[in-house]
Amino acid sequence: MEIDIRLIRHVLALARHRNFARAAEQLHLSQPALSRSIARLEETLGVALFDRTRDGVIPTDYGRIVIERGQDILRRGHDLQRELDLMQGLEVGELSIVAGPFPHAISAGPALTRLLGSRGGLRIRLSQQSPRGAVEQVLDGSVDLGIADLREWGEDSRLQLEPLPQHVGLWVARADHPLAGRQGLALADVLAYRLICAPLPRQLVEFFGAFPAAGHADPDDGLYYPAVSLDAISFGPAIAAASDAVMLTPVGIVAQWLERGELVILDLHLPWQRTAYGFVTRRGRTPSPATLEYMTCVRAVEAEAMAEEHRLIERYLGPGFAAAGR
């Protein structure tokens, strides 16, 4: 029995959209053509792959097997083509990167600028996702490289991880916030207000669980979602400056707001207030030359960002804070 790979793509599109019209539009087919394609594959296999219901198209048990195996077949085919191109010394024409909120703001974009300066013909896609969403895209093969929080993934044998420098997290708020200028704050003081941050890994949930105003832990995925939960963390400073919410962030992201006096650093410094992101790739997948070069650019940008962070921390918190390694 031979199965046309195009028919597998049609099944996956229909499974994703659960609607013939939308799936056909994505595939640039007419709806009747897609219906004939699915019917032909069902006839070849001798089983029904989808149930047609009022609520949409739902995979049968047979369909779910084809969907699962089909995703693996297409991913392996893509990987095979990449490996052959690399063996022939051919430059892969596209580079796909996904970054979590903090690395996206700190290093992923600037590193891209540097890479494009030396590889003007390269086609690049940089997207931003939640930390867990970024890793899931690496695992399903839809991106070449992820830059995301590593704390949840240290034991996952499917992944190759490389930590990047840890940035100190600071609590900031608007200049006339009720907590501004108060000394010796406790975590309970700060978390009495709404928290602005990216979703936080389950390893940090214990610090936030008793403060419902700040956010909540999701029992399904184990993550902590701040009251103002941002995948695009660059929006955070403006929200903090216009509200009573407090923001947990590396100092570089709010440097301009501190300089203008619109935000201030609150007096709360705990050991776990650090980023823990790094490179995420799928183990066994050979990185392209462009991926390796981009990673080199990220490392250089991160080193510069750390030097600037130390300068800013010394300016706003004093040399004693930096020397203590907080």
Side-chain angles (χ1 to χ4, degrees):
M1 177 191 304
E2 293 186 5
I3 300 176
D4 191 330
I5 292 296
R6 289 176 301 173
L7 302 186
I8 296 293
R9 290 194 178 94
H10 296 175
V11 167
L12 296 181
L14 185 56
R16 182 162 50 251
H17 293 284
R18 304 294 178 97
N19 178 281
F20 273 95
R22 290 196 294 269
E25 181 179 0
Q26 180 205 317
L27 294 165
H28 305 292
L29 294 174
S30 68
Q31 185 172 335
L34 178 59
S35 296
R36 289 194 298 271
S37 176
I38 299 298
R40 186 162 70 252
L41 181 56
E42 289 179 323
E43 182 179 352
T44 299
L45 297 175
V47 295
L49 301 178
F50 295 93
D51 289 327
R52 285 73 167 172
T53 73
R54 288 184 178 182
D55 296 326
V57 181
I58 301 175
T60 64
D61 289 341
Y62 298 109
R64 281 190 283 272
I65 293 174
V66 172
I67 291 164
E68 180 182 345
R69 298 292 187 268
Q71 290 172 333
D72 189 54
I73 289 169
L74 294 184
R75 183 172 63 245
R76 288 175 181 273
H78 178 70
D79 287 350
L80 173 60
Q81 187 60 59
R82 287 182 77 259
E83 295 285 350
L84 293 174
D85 287 345
L86 290 173
M87 287 181 67
Q88 296 176 67
L90 302 176
E91 176 59 67
V92 176
E94 295 187 6
L95 173 61
S96 296
I97 310 145
V98 61
F102 288 122
H104 190 277
I106 293 171
S107 57
L112 196 57
T113 301
R114 297 189 184 192
L115 180 65
L116 288 172
S118 61
R119 292 182 178 269
L122 190 66
R123 296 190 301 275
I124 298 178
R125 176 168 59 90
L126 171 62
S127 59
Q128 181 169 287
Q129 259 283 5
S130 66
R132 181 171 290 182
V135 176
E136 288 172 350
Q137 287 192 27
V138 172
L139 286 171
D140 69 21
S142 59
V143 298
D144 300 298
L145 175 69
I147 312 176
D149 195 294
L150 305 181
R151 279 172 280 210
E152 290 191 63
W153 306 98
E155 304 301 320
D156 196 315
S157 61
R158 300 171 296 174
L159 296 171
Q160 184 78 37
L161 308 178
E162 179 190 323
L164 287 166
Q166 291 188 321
H167 299 270
V168 175
L170 301 174
W171 304 92
V172 300
R174 60 182 173 85
D176 58 348
H177 192 280
L179 297 180
R182 283 182 51 182
Q183 301 298 306
L185 292 173
L187 186 62
D189 298 322
V190 172
L191 296 184
Y193 296 87
R194 287 175 297 168
L195 173 62
I196 303 168
C197 196
L200 297 170
R202 56 183 173 79
Q203 288 82 356
L204 299 182
V205 167
E206 62 180 293
F207 299 113
F208 297 89
F211 307 99
H216 72 282
D218 189 306
D220 294 326
D221 62 18
L223 300 182
Y224 182 84
Y225 290 91
V228 184
S229 184
L230 301 176
D231 288 340
I233 202 68
S234 57
F235 294 129
I239 298 171
S243 70
D244 274 349
V246 296
M247 183 178 181
L248 179 59
T249 177
V251 67
I253 293 175
V254 292
Q256 294 181 6
W257 299 81
L258 295 172
E259 176 70 27
R260 295 196 298 263
E262 297 180 52
L263 295 177
V264 295
I265 299 171
L266 302 180
D267 187 30
L268 176 63
H269 310 288
L270 302 171
W272 51 263
Q273 292 174 202
R274 290 180 177 272
T275 62
Y277 62 76
F279 294 128
V280 184
T281 53
R282 216 171 70 223
R283 191 178 297 278
R285 185 178 190 185
T286 304
S288 70
T291 301
L292 295 173
E293 189 170 342
Y294 176 74
M295 292 169 71
T296 297
C297 293
V298 170
R299 294 186 193 100
V301 172
E302 283 285 339
E304 294 168 9
M306 287 299 295
E308 176 64 7
E309 179 175 298
H310 290 156
R311 185 189 71 80
L312 290 169
I313 288 177
E314 183 170 322
R315 173 182 176 181
Y316 290 107
L317 298 176
F321 185 94
R326 298 188 199 177

